[in-house]
Amino acid sequence: MAKAISEDIGVFYHHYPKLAAIVTAQARGKENAMTVAWHTSLSFSPPLYGVSISPKRFTYQLITESREFGVNFLPFEAIELIASVGGSGGRAIDKFHRFNIAKDEPVKTKVPILKVAYVAYECQLVDDREYGDHRWLVGEIVAVHRLKEAFTPEDVIDLDKVNPVLYLGQDIYLTTAKDTVRYLDRKVYGKG
Ligand SMILES: Cc1cc2nc3c(=O)[nH]c(=O)nc-3n(C[C@H](O)[C@H](O)[C@H](O)COP(=O)(O)O)c2cc1C
């Protein structure tokens, strides 16, 4: 089988799937939500989370004003909400009203927390840097909202209870296949 080699990244979906999440923000009493696929954990101590957001997004404007953001992880049953907030602009509409989004109260910030999320982070902005056409925003996690029954006693997502949302690119969504789950002890496998 031949591999094609090029310098052109095209639509940049080769390394997907990614976990889809919803970033929330508020400022001046205006709340908003947008979908992100470019995001990751960065540090345990302090707990840091990074999201890559285009400065064109209304959400980016709200985050720079308030210096806070939320990261919400939704179950597969909520993919239509993920497509809705990722396909609409908060300057033109109130997404919370239009998409009938239920909220939980934040505890350490003023960011909206989505009721449907099985886990959500409240973050305080600690860095905002330009990387090409996106901004890399780093937040310190100051509160975690977690649906207890969605996690095993070891704090791993219980796939009997929650189907996480994966994004493949080109508006294609999928979830995990429970029958592919394997346990491979790294101490055993690390010995070769
Ligand atoms: C599945 C999906 C993933 C997305 N990932 C990102 C992302 O990581 N960063 C980004 O800036 N925009 C991303 N977007 C686009 C924004 O969600 C979209 O432009 C949204 O309308 C911005 O809303 P706002 O202007 O109200 O903030 C994604 C959209 C979808 C549907």
Side-chain angles (χ1 to χ4, degrees):
M1 280 203 285
K3 287 184 184 169
I5 299 170
S6 75
E7 290 176 7
D8 177 11
I9 59 154
V11 285
F12 216 10
Y13 290 140
H14 323 97
H15 56 292
Y16 285 40
K18 287 185 174 289
L19 196 65
I22 293 183
V23 166
T24 47
Q26 71 77 41
R28 294 172 279 112
K30 186 114 177 74
E31 297 181 324
N32 197 42
M34 68 172 271
T35 302
V36 290
W38 293 0
H39 57 93
T40 186
S41 43
L42 293 165
S43 161
F44 282 119
S45 180
L48 299 177
Y49 206 85
V51 290
S52 179
I53 294 187
S54 162
K56 293 180 189 154
R57 315 295 185 224
F58 182 50
T59 308
Y60 175 72
Q61 190 183 322
L62 295 179
I63 295 172
T64 51
E65 285 178 37
S66 63
R67 301 195 61 80
E68 298 176 340
F69 62 91
V71 190
N72 299 260
F73 300 89
L74 275 52
F76 195 67
E77 293 67 34
I79 45 171
E80 286 169 4
L81 181 58
I82 288 175
S84 298
V85 302
S88 54
R91 284 188 188 89
I93 60 158
D94 175 346
K95 298 190 200 182
F96 281 84
H97 182 70
R98 171 76 65 92
F99 304 121
N100 203 14
I101 305 175
K103 292 177 289 184
D104 283 332
E105 283 301 314
V107 293
K108 290 282 183 65
T109 64
K110 290 188 180 144
V111 298
I113 298 297
L114 306 194
K115 202 173 263 308
V116 69
Y118 58 88
V119 67
Y121 299 141
E122 289 181 47
C123 298
Q124 274 163 355
L125 187 68
V126 296
D127 200 16
D128 173 0
R129 259 167 227 268
E130 180 183 324
Y131 282 99
D133 55 13
H134 277 56
R135 308 283 310 187
W136 183 239
L137 306 183
V138 177
E140 177 164 353
I141 299 171
V142 289
V144 180
H145 298 242
R146 181 170 15 156
L147 188 66
K148 277 196 220 146
E149 51 270 35
F151 293 87
T152 67
E154 295 77 32
D155 232 12
V156 172
I157 294 177
D158 185 341
L159 294 177
D160 282 328
K161 308 278 173 50
V162 174
N163 299 303
V165 181
L166 302 178
Y167 180 61
L168 203 57
Q170 300 287 14
D171 289 337
I172 302 165
Y173 298 87
L174 65 152
T175 189
T176 46
K178 181 97 199 298
D179 60 0
T180 61
V181 171
R182 300 268 312 274
Y183 173 71
L184 303 178
D185 187 338
R186 67 180 79 177
K187 290 192 208 77
V188 174
Y189 278 81
K191 285 179 185 149

